[in-house]
Amino acid sequence: MPADLFYFISSLPALRWGEKPPLSYNAFLAACQEQLGSDLTAQLKAISLIPDGHPASTTLAAWEDWETYLRNTIAEIRAAKLRKSAAAWLRAGNGLYPGDRKRLEDALNQPTPRDREQAVDLLRWQQLEQLAAMHQFDVAALELYTLKLLLSEKHAGRNLDAGKKAYQQLVEQGLNQAKEQQESTSA
């Protein structure tokens, strides 16, 4: 473990749910490279919000178990609404989190897809907070910080006005294509 780990972790800005992160993921990795070296930076860079089945640590294994449970439960709930079997979409997992199922069902009952995604990601954030309570100044704390930073950036990168503009452009393109196709078949 690098000698400067305690100092580095204590110098990181706090991340808060729903707020734009005070530093970018790339700036975080650059600071890690400078302060902690390339091996630990490579380990942190390999972390993803999507489970890959090959966690580098027991903390990441705990996160992946929970995330797999979450994704399996989403698949089961969606399949139940369609009156289909979810078996084809389920992944092997080790965790059982019965209290989280109700919270997830509530999150998936939000009125819009954006609200549902926000509610599910809030559950992710809360799980990361719970895992982080057991780690303060170790590599696991950095791993969890990385996941929280990735989750924060996911939401900070969204812009309602830009989304509406992109949607309007797609609608206009579709209408123009339909008009052109109708004109070419009429001629």
Side-chain angles (χ1 to χ4, degrees), residues 41-167:
T41 302
Q43 181 180 336
L44 297 173
K45 193 174 185 178
I47 294 173
S48 171
L49 291 172
I50 301 169
D52 67 1
H54 305 293
S57 69
T58 56
T59 302
L60 290 177
W63 164 255
E64 284 198 8
D65 283 345
W66 185 85
E67 180 68 19
T68 300
Y69 171 81
L70 180 88
R71 289 169 182 255
N72 283 343
T73 304
I74 290 171
E76 289 169 354
I77 292 169
R78 288 179 176 167
K81 286 181 181 181
L82 297 171
R83 296 191 172 126
K84 294 187 176 191
S85 171
W89 295 282
L90 299 180
R91 301 292 177 253
N94 299 325
L96 183 61
Y97 307 88
D100 289 339
R101 184 173 184 99
K102 174 65 175 138
R103 293 174 52 216
L104 184 56
E105 288 171 352
D106 292 343
L108 294 176
N109 283 327
Q110 297 299 310
T112 67
R114 183 178 184 273
D115 291 341
R116 286 189 290 272
E117 184 176 10
Q118 285 274 122
V120 170
D121 282 345
L122 175 58
L123 294 177
R124 287 182 170 109
W125 186 272
Q126 291 168 342
Q127 181 66 17
L128 289 170
E129 288 279 317
Q130 187 176 344
L131 289 170
M134 297 179 276
H135 302 280
Q136 299 302 316
F137 297 102
D138 56 6
V139 173
L142 272 180
E143 293 170 338
L144 295 166
Y145 188 91
T146 303
L147 285 164
K148 287 173 67 177
L149 183 57
L150 289 168
L151 196 58
S152 292
E153 275 200 347
K154 174 184 169 185
H155 287 279
R158 297 199 174 137
N159 181 315
L160 185 60
D161 293 333
K164 285 181 180 179
K165 183 178 177 181
Y167 173 75

Side-chain angles (χ1 to χ4, degrees), residues 8 17 21 33-34 81 107 122 135 149 175 178 185:
F8 181 74
W17 172 250
Q33 179 68 37
E34 181 181 314
K81 286 181 181 181
L122 175 58
H135 302 280
L149 183 57
L175 291 173
T185 56

